[in-house]
Coordinates of all heavy atoms in Angstrom, one line a residue:
P1000 N 0.7 -1.2 0.0 CA 0.0 0.0 0.0 C 0.9 1.3 0.0 O 2.1 1.2 0.3 CB -0.9 -0.2 1.3 CG -0.1 -1.0 2.2 CD 0.7 -2.1 1.3
I1001 N 0.3 2.3 -0.4 CA 0.9 3.7 -0.3 C 1.4 4.0 1.1 O 0.6 3.7 2.1 CB 0.0 4.8 -0.9 CG1 0.7 6.2 -1.0 CG2 -1.3 4.9 -0.1 CD1 0.0 7.2 -1.7
D1002 N 2.6 4.5 1.2 CA 3.1 5.0 2.6 C 2.3 6.2 2.9 O 2.5 7.2 2.4 CB 4.5 5.3 2.3 CG 5.2 5.9 3.7 OD1 4.5 5.9 4.7 OD2 6.3 6.3 3.6
P1003 N 1.5 6.1 4.1 CA 0.8 7.2 4.6 C 1.7 8.4 5.2 O 1.2 9.5 5.2 CB -0.1 6.6 5.7 CG 0.5 5.5 6.1 CD 1.3 5.0 4.9
N1004 N 2.9 8.1 5.3 CA 3.8 9.1 5.8 C 4.7 9.6 4.7 O 5.9 10.1 4.9 CB 4.7 8.6 7.0 CG 3.9 8.2 8.1 OD1 3.0 9.0 8.5 ND2 4.0 7.0 8.8
F1005 N 4.3 9.5 3.4 CA 5.2 9.8 2.3 C 5.6 11.3 2.4 O 6.8 11.6 1.8 CB 4.4 9.6 1.0 CG 3.2 10.7 0.6 CD1 3.6 11.6 -0.1 CD2 2.0 10.3 1.1 CE1 2.5 12.6 -0.3 CE2 1.0 11.3 0.8 CZ 1.3 12.5 0.1
E1006 N 4.9 12.2 3.0 CA 5.3 13.6 3.0 C 6.6 13.7 3.8 O 7.4 14.7 3.6 CB 4.2 14.4 3.5 CG 3.2 14.8 2.6 CD 2.0 15.5 3.1 OE1 2.2 16.8 3.1 OE2 0.9 14.9 3.5
T1007 N 6.8 12.8 4.8 CA 8.0 12.8 5.6 C 9.1 12.0 4.9 O 10.3 12.3 4.9 CB 7.7 12.2 7.0 OG1 6.7 13.0 7.7 CG2 8.9 12.3 7.8
N1008 N 8.6 10.8 4.3 CA 9.6 9.9 3.8 C 10.2 10.1 2.4 O 11.0 9.5 1.9 CB 9.0 8.5 3.9 CG 8.8 8.1 5.4 OD1 9.5 8.6 6.3 ND2 7.9 7.2 5.7
C1009 N 9.4 10.9 1.6 CA 9.7 11.2 0.3 C 10.0 12.6 0.2 O 9.7 13.5 1.0 CB 8.7 10.7 -0.7 SG 8.2 9.1 -0.5
K1010 N 10.6 13.0 -1.1 CA 11.0 14.4 -1.4 C 10.2 14.9 -2.7 O 10.0 14.1 -3.6 CB 12.4 14.5 -1.6 CG 13.3 14.5 -0.4 CD 14.6 15.1 -0.6 CE 15.4 15.4 0.6 NZ 15.7 14.1 1.3
P1011 N 9.6 16.1 -2.6 CA 8.9 16.5 -3.8 C 10.1 16.8 -4.8 O 11.1 17.5 -4.6 CB 8.4 17.9 -3.4 CG 9.1 18.3 -2.1 CD 9.7 17.1 -1.5
V1012 N 9.9 16.2 -6.0 CA 11.0 16.3 -7.1 C 10.5 16.9 -8.4 O 11.4 17.2 -9.2 CB 11.6 14.9 -7.4 CG1 12.3 14.3 -6.2 CG2 10.5 13.9 -7.9
D1013 N 9.2 17.1 -8.5 CA 8.6 17.6 -9.8 C 7.2 18.0 -9.6 O 6.7 18.0 -8.6 CB 8.7 16.3 -10.7 CG 8.6 16.7 -12.4 OD1 8.5 17.9 -12.5 OD2 8.7 16.0 -13.1
E1014 N 6.6 18.5 -10.7 CA 5.2 18.8 -10.7 C 4.7 18.5 -12.0 O 5.3 18.7 -13.1 CB 5.0 20.3 -10.4 CG 3.7 20.7 -9.9 CD 3.5 22.3 -9.7 OE1 4.2 22.8 -8.7 OE2 2.9 22.9 -10.5
E1015 N 3.5 17.8 -12.1 CA 2.8 17.4 -13.3 C 1.3 17.7 -13.1 O 0.7 17.4 -12.2 CB 3.0 15.9 -13.5 CG 4.0 15.5 -14.4 CD 4.2 13.9 -14.4 OE1 3.1 13.2 -14.4 OE2 5.3 13.4 -14.3
D1016 N 0.8 18.3 -14.2 CA -0.7 18.7 -14.2 C -0.9 19.5 -13.0 O -2.1 19.4 -12.4 CB -1.5 17.5 -14.3 CG -1.2 16.7 -15.5 OD1 -1.0 17.4 -16.6 OD2 -1.1 15.4 -15.5
G1017 N -0.1 20.2 -12.3 CA -0.3 21.1 -11.2 C -0.3 20.3 -9.8 O -0.5 20.9 -8.9
V1018 N 0.2 19.0 -9.9 CA 0.3 18.4 -8.7 C 1.7 17.9 -8.4 O 2.5 17.8 -9.4 CB -0.6 17.0 -8.6 CG1 -2.0 17.3 -9.1 CG2 -0.1 15.9 -9.5
T1019 N 2.1 17.9 -7.1 CA 3.4 17.6 -6.8 C 3.7 16.1 -7.0 O 2.8 15.2 -6.8 CB 3.7 17.9 -5.2 OG1 3.5 19.3 -5.1 CG2 5.0 17.7 -4.8
V1020 N 4.9 15.8 -7.5 CA 5.4 14.4 -7.6 C 6.5 14.2 -6.6 O 7.5 15.0 -6.4 CB 6.0 14.2 -8.9 CG1 6.5 12.8 -9.1 CG2 4.9 14.5 -10.0
W1021 N 6.3 13.1 -5.8 CA 7.2 12.9 -4.7 C 8.1 11.7 -5.1 O 7.6 10.7 -5.5 CB 6.4 12.5 -3.4 CG 5.5 13.5 -2.8 CD1 4.2 13.8 -3.4 CD2 5.7 14.4 -1.9 NE1 3.7 15.0 -2.8 CE2 4.6 15.4 -1.8 CE3 6.7 14.7 -1.0 CZ2 4.5 16.3 -0.8 CZ3 6.6 15.6 0.0 CH2 5.5 16.4 0.1
G1022 N 9.3 11.8 -5.0 CA 10.4 10.8 -5.5 C 10.9 9.9 -4.4 O 10.3 10.0 -3.3
P1023 N 11.8 9.2 -4.8 CA 12.6 9.3 -6.1 C 11.8 8.7 -7.3 O 10.9 7.8 -7.0 CB 13.8 8.4 -5.9 CG 13.4 7.4 -4.9 CD 12.4 8.1 -3.8
V1024 N 12.1 9.3 -8.3 CA 11.4 8.8 -9.7 C 12.7 8.3 -10.6 O 13.7 8.9 -10.5 CB 10.6 9.8 -10.4 CG1 9.3 10.2 -9.5 CG2 11.3 11.1 -10.7
D1025 N 12.3 7.4 -11.5 CA 13.2 6.9 -12.5 C 12.3 6.3 -13.7 O 12.2 5.1 -13.8 CB 14.1 5.9 -11.9 CG 15.3 5.4 -12.9 OD1 15.5 6.0 -14.0 OD2 15.9 4.3 -12.5
P1026 N 11.8 7.4 -14.5 CA 10.8 6.8 -15.4 C 11.6 6.0 -16.7 O 12.7 6.2 -16.8 CB 10.4 8.1 -16.3 CG 11.0 9.2 -15.4 CD 12.0 8.7 -14.4
P1027 N 10.9 5.0 -17.2 CA 9.4 4.8 -17.1 C 9.0 3.8 -15.9 O 7.9 3.7 -15.7 CB 9.0 4.3 -18.4 CG 10.2 3.4 -18.8 CD 11.4 4.1 -18.3
E1028 N 10.0 3.2 -15.3 CA 9.7 2.2 -14.3 C 9.3 2.7 -12.9 O 8.5 2.1 -12.3 CB 10.8 1.1 -14.1 CG 11.2 0.3 -15.3 CD 12.3 1.1 -16.2 OE1 12.7 2.2 -15.9 OE2 12.6 0.5 -17.4
K1029 N 9.8 3.7 -12.6 CA 9.5 4.3 -11.2 C 9.1 5.7 -11.3 O 9.9 6.6 -11.7 CB 10.7 4.2 -10.3 CG 10.5 4.6 -8.9 CD 11.3 3.9 -7.9 CE 11.2 4.4 -6.5 NZ 9.7 4.3 -6.1
L1030 N 7.8 5.9 -11.0 CA 7.1 7.1 -11.2 C 6.7 8.0 -9.9 O 6.2 9.1 -9.9 CB 5.8 7.0 -12.0 CG 6.1 6.3 -13.4 CD1 4.8 6.0 -14.1 CD2 6.9 7.1 -14.3
G1031 N 6.9 7.4 -8.8 CA 6.7 8.1 -7.5 C 5.2 8.3 -7.2 O 4.3 7.7 -7.7
I1032 N 5.0 9.2 -6.2 CA 3.6 9.4 -5.6 C 3.2 10.8 -6.1 O 4.0 11.7 -6.1 CB 3.6 9.4 -4.0 CG1 3.9 8.0 -3.5 CG2 2.3 10.0 -3.5 CD1 4.1 7.9 -2.1
H1033 N 1.9 10.8 -6.7 CA 1.5 12.0 -7.4 C 0.4 12.8 -6.5 O -0.5 12.0 -6.2 CB 0.9 11.7 -8.8 CG 2.0 11.4 -9.7 ND1 2.0 11.9 -11.0 CD2 3.1 10.6 -9.6 CE1 3.1 11.4 -11.6 NE2 3.9 10.6 -10.9
G1034 N 0.6 13.9 -6.1 CA -0.5 14.6 -5.4 C -0.1 14.7 -3.8 O 0.7 13.9 -3.5
T1035 N -0.9 15.5 -3.1 CA -0.5 15.7 -1.8 C -1.7 15.4 -0.9 O -1.8 14.6 -0.1 CB 0.0 17.1 -1.5 OG1 1.2 17.3 -2.4 CG2 0.5 17.3 -0.1
H1036 N -2.7 16.3 -1.1 CA -4.1 16.0 -0.3 C -4.6 14.7 -0.8 O -5.0 13.9 0.0 CB -5.0 17.1 -0.4 CG -6.3 16.9 0.3 ND1 -6.4 17.0 1.6 CD2 -7.5 16.5 -0.3 CE1 -7.6 16.7 2.0 NE2 -8.3 16.4 0.9
V1037 N -4.7 14.5 -2.1 CA -5.1 13.3 -2.6 C -3.8 12.7 -3.3 O -3.4 13.2 -4.4 CB -6.3 13.4 -3.7 CG1 -6.6 12.1 -4.4 CG2 -7.5 14.0 -3.1
A1038 N -3.2 11.6 -2.8 CA -2.0 11.1 -3.3 C -2.1 9.7 -3.9 O -2.8 8.9 -3.3 CB -1.1 11.1 -2.2
V1039 N -1.7 9.5 -5.1 CA -1.8 8.3 -5.8 C -0.2 7.8 -5.9 O 0.6 8.4 -6.6 CB -2.4 8.4 -7.2 CG1 -2.5 7.0 -7.9 CG2 -3.7 9.0 -7.0
D1040 N 0.0 6.6 -5.5 CA 1.2 5.9 -5.7 C 1.4 5.3 -7.0 O 0.7 4.2 -7.3 CB 1.6 4.9 -4.6 CG 3.0 4.4 -4.6 OD1 3.6 4.4 -5.7 OD2 3.6 4.3 -3.6
F1041 N 2.0 6.0 -8.0 CA 1.9 5.5 -9.3 C 2.6 4.0 -9.5 O 2.3 3.4 -10.5 CB 2.6 6.5 -10.3 CG 1.6 7.5 -10.8 CD1 0.6 8.0 -10.2 CD2 1.8 8.1 -12.1 CE1 -0.4 9.0 -10.7 CE2 0.9 9.0 -12.7 CZ -0.2 9.4 -12.0
D1042 N 3.4 3.7 -8.7 CA 4.2 2.5 -8.6 C 3.3 1.3 -8.2 O 3.7 0.1 -8.4 CB 5.5 2.5 -8.1 CG 6.3 3.6 -8.6 OD1 6.6 3.5 -9.9 OD2 6.9 4.6 -8.1
I1043 N 2.3 1.7 -7.4 CA 1.3 0.7 -7.0 C 0.1 0.5 -7.8 O -0.5 -0.6 -8.1 CB 0.8 0.9 -5.5 CG1 2.2 0.8 -4.7 CG2 -0.1 -0.1 -5.1 CD1 1.9 1.3 -3.3
C1044 N -0.4 1.7 -8.3 CA -1.6 1.7 -9.2 C -1.6 0.8 -10.4 O -0.5 0.8 -11.0 CB -1.8 3.1 -9.7 SG -3.2 3.3 -10.8
I1045 N -2.6 0.0 -10.6 CA -2.7 -1.0 -11.7 C -3.7 -0.5 -12.8 O -4.1 -1.2 -13.6 CB -3.1 -2.3 -11.3 CG1 -4.4 -2.3 -10.4 CG2 -1.9 -3.0 -10.3 CD1 -5.0 -3.7 -10.2
G1046 N -4.1 0.9 -12.7 CA -5.0 1.4 -13.7 C -6.3 0.8 -13.5 O -7.2 0.9 -14.5
D1047 N -6.8 0.4 -12.4 CA -8.1 -0.2 -12.2 C -9.3 0.7 -12.7 O -10.3 0.4 -13.3 CB -8.3 -0.6 -10.7 CG -9.7 -1.2 -10.5 OD1 -9.9 -2.4 -10.7 OD2 -10.6 -0.4 -10.1
G1048 N -9.2 2.1 -12.3 CA -10.1 3.0 -12.6 C -11.4 3.3 -11.7 O -12.2 4.1 -11.9
A1049 N -11.5 2.4 -10.7 CA -12.6 2.5 -9.8 C -12.7 3.9 -9.1 O -13.8 4.5 -8.9 CB -12.7 1.4 -8.8
C1050 N -11.5 4.4 -8.8 CA -11.4 5.7 -8.1 C -12.0 6.8 -9.0 O -12.8 7.6 -8.6 CB -10.0 6.0 -7.9 SG -8.8 6.0 -9.2
L1051 N -11.5 6.8 -10.3 CA -11.9 7.8 -11.2 C -13.5 7.8 -11.4 O -14.2 8.8 -11.5 CB -11.2 7.7 -12.5 CG -11.4 8.7 -13.6 CD1 -10.0 8.9 -14.3 CD2 -12.4 8.2 -14.6
E1052 N -14.0 6.6 -11.6 CA -15.4 6.3 -11.8 C -16.2 6.8 -10.7 O -17.4 7.4 -10.7 CB -15.6 4.9 -12.2 CG -15.3 4.5 -13.6 CD -15.3 2.9 -13.7 OE1 -16.0 2.2 -13.0 OE2 -14.4 2.5 -14.6
D1053 N -15.8 6.5 -9.4 CA -16.6 6.7 -8.3 C -16.5 8.2 -7.7 O -17.3 8.5 -6.7 CB -16.2 5.6 -7.1 CG -16.8 4.3 -7.5 OD1 -17.4 4.2 -8.6 OD2 -16.6 3.4 -6.8
C1054 N -15.3 8.9 -7.9 CA -15.2 10.2 -7.3 C -16.3 11.1 -7.7 O -16.6 11.3 -8.7 CB -13.9 10.8 -7.7 SG -13.7 12.4 -7.0
P1055 N -17.1 11.6 -6.6 CA -18.2 12.5 -7.0 C -17.8 13.7 -7.4 O -18.7 14.5 -8.0 CB -19.0 12.5 -5.6 CG -17.9 12.3 -4.5 CD -16.9 11.4 -5.1
V1056 N -16.5 14.3 -7.4 CA -16.3 15.6 -7.8 C -15.1 15.6 -8.8 O -14.5 16.6 -9.1 CB -15.9 16.5 -6.6 CG1 -17.1 16.8 -5.7 CG2 -14.7 15.9 -5.7
D1057 N -15.0 14.4 -9.4 CA -14.0 14.4 -10.6 C -12.7 14.9 -10.4 O -12.1 15.6 -11.1 CB -14.8 15.1 -11.8 CG -14.2 14.8 -13.1 OD1 -13.7 13.7 -13.4 OD2 -14.3 15.6 -14.0
V1058 N -12.1 14.3 -9.3 CA -10.7 14.8 -9.0 C -9.6 14.2 -10.1 O -8.7 14.9 -10.4 CB -10.4 14.3 -7.6 CG1 -8.9 14.3 -7.4 CG2 -11.0 15.2 -6.6
F1059 N -9.9 13.0 -10.6 CA -8.9 12.3 -11.3 C -9.0 12.4 -12.8 O -10.1 12.6 -13.4 CB -8.9 10.7 -10.9 CG -8.8 10.4 -9.5 CD1 -9.9 10.3 -8.7 CD2 -7.6 10.5 -8.9 CE1 -9.9 9.9 -7.4 CE2 -7.5 10.2 -7.5 CZ -8.6 9.9 -6.7
S1060 N -7.8 12.2 -13.4 CA -7.8 12.3 -14.9 C -6.8 11.1 -15.2 O -5.8 11.0 -14.6 CB -7.2 13.5 -15.5 OG -7.9 14.6 -15.3
W1061 N -7.0 10.5 -16.4 CA -6.3 9.5 -16.9 C -4.9 10.0 -17.4 O -5.0 11.0 -18.1 CB -6.9 8.6 -18.0 CG -8.0 7.6 -17.6 CD1 -9.3 7.7 -17.8 CD2 -7.8 6.5 -16.7 NE1 -9.9 6.7 -17.3 CE2 -9.2 5.9 -16.6 CE3 -6.7 5.8 -16.0 CZ2 -9.3 4.8 -15.8 CZ3 -6.9 4.8 -15.2 CH2 -8.1 4.3 -15.2
V1062 N -3.8 9.4 -17.2 CA -2.6 9.7 -17.9 C -1.9 8.5 -18.4 O -2.2 7.4 -17.8 CB -1.6 10.6 -16.9 CG1 -2.1 11.9 -16.6 CG2 -1.3 9.8 -15.6
D1063 N -1.2 8.6 -19.5 CA -0.6 7.5 -20.0 C 0.8 7.3 -19.4 O 1.5 8.3 -19.3 CB -0.4 7.6 -21.6 CG -1.7 7.6 -22.3 OD1 -2.6 6.8 -21.9 OD2 -1.9 8.3 -23.3
T1064 N 1.2 5.9 -19.1 CA 2.4 5.7 -18.4 C 3.0 4.5 -19.2 O 3.4 3.5 -18.6 CB 2.3 5.4 -16.9 OG1 1.4 4.4 -16.8 CG2 1.8 6.7 -16.3
P1065 N 3.4 4.7 -20.4 CA 3.9 3.5 -21.3 C 5.2 3.0 -20.7 O 6.1 3.9 -20.2 CB 4.2 4.2 -22.6 CG 4.2 5.6 -22.4 CD 3.3 5.9 -21.3
G1066 N 5.3 1.7 -20.5 CA 6.5 1.1 -20.1 C 6.5 1.0 -18.5 O 7.5 0.4 -18.0
H1067 N 5.5 1.4 -17.8 CA 5.5 1.1 -16.4 C 5.1 -0.4 -16.1 O 4.2 -1.0 -16.8 CB 4.6 2.0 -15.7 CG 4.7 1.9 -14.2 ND1 4.0 1.0 -13.4 CD2 5.6 2.5 -13.3 CE1 4.4 1.0 -12.2 NE2 5.4 2.0 -12.1
P1068 N 5.8 -1.1 -15.3 CA 5.5 -2.5 -15.2 C 4.1 -2.8 -14.5 O 3.7 -4.0 -15.0 CB 6.6 -3.0 -14.1 CG 7.2 -1.7 -13.5 CD 7.0 -0.7 -14.5
E1069 N 3.4 -2.0 -13.8 CA 2.2 -2.3 -13.3 C 0.9 -2.0 -14.2 O 0.0 -2.8 -14.3 CB 1.9 -1.6 -11.9 CG 2.9 -2.1 -10.8 CD 2.8 -3.5 -10.5 OE1 1.7 -4.1 -10.8 OE2 3.8 -4.0 -9.9
S1070 N 1.1 -1.0 -15.0 CA 0.0 -0.7 -15.9 C 0.5 0.6 -16.7 O 1.3 1.4 -16.4 CB -1.3 -0.2 -15.1 OG -1.1 0.9 -14.3
E1071 N -0.1 0.7 -17.9 CA 0.3 1.7 -18.9 C -0.6 3.0 -18.7 O -0.6 3.9 -19.6 CB 0.3 1.2 -20.3 CG 1.2 0.0 -20.3 CD 2.2 0.0 -21.5 OE1 1.8 0.4 -22.6 OE2 3.4 -0.4 -21.3
V1072 N -1.5 2.9 -17.8 CA -2.4 4.1 -17.5 C -2.4 4.3 -16.0 O -2.3 3.4 -15.3 CB -3.8 4.2 -18.1 CG1 -3.8 4.3 -19.5 CG2 -4.6 2.8 -17.6
K1073 N -2.5 5.6 -15.5 CA -2.5 5.9 -14.1 C -3.6 7.0 -14.0 O -4.0 7.6 -14.9 CB -1.2 6.4 -13.5 CG 0.1 5.5 -13.8 CD -0.1 4.1 -13.0 CE 1.2 3.4 -13.5 NZ 1.2 2.0 -12.8
V1074 N -4.0 7.3 -12.6 CA -5.0 8.4 -12.5 C -4.2 9.6 -11.7 O -3.6 9.5 -10.6 CB -6.1 8.0 -11.6 CG1 -7.0 7.1 -12.4 CG2 -5.7 7.2 -10.3
Q1075 N -4.1 10.7 -12.5 CA -3.6 11.9 -11.9 C -4.6 12.6 -11.0 O -5.7 12.8 -11.5 CB -3.1 12.8 -13.0 CG -2.2 14.0 -12.6 CD -0.8 13.5 -12.6 OE1 -0.4 12.9 -11.6 NE2 0.1 13.9 -13.6
P1076 N -4.3 12.9 -9.8 CA -5.3 13.7 -9.0 C -5.2 15.2 -9.3 O -4.9 16.0 -8.6 CB -4.8 13.4 -7.6 CG -3.3 13.2 -7.7 CD -3.1 12.6 -9.0
A1077 N -5.6 15.4 -10.6 CA -5.3 16.7 -11.2 C -6.2 17.9 -10.5 O -5.9 19.0 -10.6 CB -5.5 16.7 -12.6
R1078 N -7.3 17.5 -9.8 CA -8.2 18.5 -9.3 C -8.3 18.1 -7.8 O -9.5 18.1 -7.2 CB -9.6 18.5 -10.0 CG -9.5 19.1 -11.4 CD -10.6 18.9 -12.2 NE -10.9 17.4 -12.5 CZ -10.1 16.7 -13.4 NH1 -9.3 17.3 -14.2 NH2 -10.3 15.5 -13.6
E1079 N -7.2 17.9 -7.1 CA -7.3 17.4 -5.7 C -7.8 18.6 -4.8 O -8.3 18.2 -3.7 CB -5.8 17.0 -5.2 CG -4.8 18.0 -5.3 CD -3.4 17.5 -4.8 OE1 -3.4 16.5 -4.1 OE2 -2.4 18.1 -5.1
D1080 N -7.7 19.7 -5.3 CA -8.2 20.9 -4.5 C -9.8 20.8 -4.4 O -10.4 21.4 -3.5 CB -7.9 22.3 -5.1 CG -8.2 22.3 -6.5 OD1 -8.0 21.3 -7.3 OD2 -8.8 23.4 -6.8
Q1081 N -10.5 19.9 -5.2 CA -11.9 19.8 -5.3 C -12.4 18.7 -4.3 O -13.5 18.6 -4.0 CB -12.4 19.4 -6.6 CG -12.0 20.4 -7.8 CD -12.8 21.6 -7.6 OE1 -14.1 21.7 -7.6 NE2 -12.1 22.7 -7.6
C1082 N -11.4 17.9 -3.7 CA -11.8 16.9 -2.9 C -12.6 17.1 -1.7 O -12.3 18.1 -1.1 CB -10.5 16.2 -2.5 SG -10.7 14.7 -1.5
I1083 N -13.7 16.3 -1.5 CA -14.6 16.6 -0.2 C -14.4 15.5 0.8 O -15.2 15.4 1.7 CB -15.9 16.6 -0.7 CG1 -16.4 15.3 -1.5 CG2 -16.3 17.8 -1.7 CD1 -17.9 15.1 -1.8
D1084 N -13.2 14.7 0.7 CA -12.9 13.8 1.8 C -13.9 12.8 2.0 O -14.0 12.2 3.2 CB -12.4 14.6 3.1 CG -11.4 15.6 2.9 OD1 -10.4 15.3 2.0 OD2 -11.3 16.5 3.7
C1085 N -14.4 12.4 0.9 CA -15.6 11.2 1.1 C -14.9 9.9 1.4 O -15.6 8.9 1.8 CB -16.6 11.2 0.0 SG -15.8 10.5 -1.6
M1086 N -13.6 9.7 0.9 CA -12.8 8.5 1.1 C -13.3 7.3 0.2 O -12.8 6.2 0.3 CB -12.9 8.0 2.5 CG -12.3 8.9 3.5 SD -10.6 9.1 3.1 CE -10.0 10.5 4.1
L1087 N -14.2 7.6 -0.7 CA -14.7 6.5 -1.7 C -13.4 5.9 -2.5 O -13.3 4.7 -2.6 CB -15.7 7.0 -2.6 CG -17.0 6.9 -2.3 CD1 -18.0 7.5 -3.4 CD2 -17.5 5.4 -2.2
C1088 N -12.6 6.8 -2.9 CA -11.4 6.3 -3.8 C -10.5 5.4 -3.1 O -10.1 4.4 -3.4 CB -10.7 7.5 -4.4 SG -10.0 8.7 -3.2
V1089 N -10.2 5.8 -1.7 CA -9.5 5.0 -0.9 C -10.1 3.6 -0.6 O -9.4 2.6 -0.7 CB -9.2 5.7 0.5 CG1 -8.5 4.8 1.4 CG2 -8.4 7.1 0.3
D1090 N -11.5 3.6 -0.5 CA -12.1 2.3 -0.2 C -12.1 1.5 -1.4 O -12.0 0.2 -1.3 CB -13.5 2.6 0.3 CG -13.6 3.3 1.6 OD1 -12.5 3.2 2.4 OD2 -14.6 3.9 2.0
V1091 N -12.2 2.0 -2.6 CA -12.5 1.1 -3.7 C -11.2 0.6 -4.5 O -11.2 -0.2 -5.1 CB -13.4 1.8 -4.8 CG1 -14.8 2.0 -4.3 CG2 -12.9 3.0 -5.4
C1092 N -10.2 1.3 -4.3 CA -8.9 1.0 -4.9 C -8.4 -0.4 -4.4 O -8.1 -0.8 -3.3 CB -7.8 1.8 -4.6 SG -6.3 1.3 -5.4
P1093 N -8.3 -1.3 -5.5 CA -8.0 -2.8 -5.0 C -6.6 -2.9 -4.6 O -6.3 -4.1 -3.9 CB -8.3 -3.5 -6.4 CG -8.0 -2.5 -7.5 CD -8.5 -1.2 -6.9
V1094 N -5.8 -2.1 -4.9 CA -4.3 -2.3 -4.3 C -3.8 -1.2 -3.4 O -2.7 -1.1 -3.1 CB -3.4 -2.3 -5.6 CG1 -3.6 -3.4 -6.5 CG2 -3.6 -1.0 -6.5
D1095 N -4.7 -0.5 -2.7 CA -4.5 0.6 -1.7 C -3.4 1.6 -2.2 O -2.4 1.8 -1.6 CB -4.0 0.0 -0.5 CG -5.2 -0.8 0.4 OD1 -6.2 -0.3 0.1 OD2 -4.9 -1.8 0.9
A1096 N -3.6 2.1 -3.5 CA -2.6 3.0 -4.1 C -2.9 4.5 -3.6 O -2.0 5.3 -3.9 CB -2.6 2.9 -5.6
I1097 N -4.0 4.8 -3.0 CA -4.4 6.2 -2.7 C -4.5 6.5 -1.2 O -4.9 5.7 -0.4 CB -5.8 6.4 -3.3 CG1 -5.9 6.1 -4.8 CG2 -6.2 7.9 -3.1 CD1 -7.3 6.2 -5.4
D1098 N -3.9 7.7 -0.9 CA -4.0 8.2 0.5 C -4.7 9.6 0.4 O -4.3 10.4 -0.3 CB -2.6 8.3 1.1 CG -2.5 8.8 2.4 OD1 -3.2 8.1 3.3 OD2 -2.1 10.0 2.7
V1099 N -5.7 9.7 1.2 CA -6.4 11.0 1.2 C -6.2 11.5 2.7 O -6.6 10.6 3.6 CB -7.9 11.0 0.9 CG1 -8.7 12.3 1.1 CG2 -8.1 10.6 -0.6
D1100 N -5.8 12.6 2.9 CA -5.5 13.1 4.2 C -6.5 14.3 4.6 O -6.2 15.6 4.2 CB -4.1 13.7 4.1 CG -3.5 13.8 5.5 OD1 -4.0 13.3 6.4 OD2 -2.3 14.4 5.5
P1101 N -7.6 14.0 5.3 CA -8.5 15.1 5.6 C -7.9 16.2 6.5 O -7.2 15.9 7.3 CB -9.6 14.3 6.3 CG -9.4 12.8 6.1 CD -8.0 12.7 5.7
G1102 N -8.4 17.3 6.3 CA -8.0 18.5 7.1 C -6.6 18.8 6.6 O -5.8 19.3 7.4
Ligands
LIG941 FE1 -12.9 12.1 -4.8 FE2 -13.8 11.4 -2.4 FE3 -11.5 10.5 -3.3 FE4 -11.6 13.0 -2.7 S1 -11.9 11.2 -1.2 S2 -10.6 12.3 -4.5 S3 -13.8 13.4 -3.3 S4 -13.4 10.0 -4.2
LIG942 FE1 -5.2 3.0 -9.8 FE2 -6.5 2.2 -7.7 FE3 -7.5 4.1 -9.1 S1 -5.4 0.9 -9.1 S2 -6.8 3.7 -11.1 S3 -5.7 4.2 -7.9 S4 -8.7 2.5 -8.2

């Protein structure tokens, strides 16, 4: 599962679609954690899509990640500022790739 303490254990190394990327990253195999309030571990995500389908406020966008060993698509939390902390995405992700930090 995603490390709930990634903000302490990882370093911000980049920004994509307005969200912080937490490293280390080494594309295309290692893509890090994307987002802060709504954080998706791209190295755990298998592109299931339940999070994107279920989010009531459309926080996520598909992004292509060709060459990644787990899946060639991921969900960018591009509108994480819209999140209402319902926790649906956290509950439905089959691989626990998402961390939402209320407050
Ligand atoms: Fe969307 Fe709810 Fe997940 Fe926030 S916690 S990103 S509102 S599904
Ligand atoms: Fe990925 Fe989990 Fe969503 S596998 S696409 S973060 S439901």
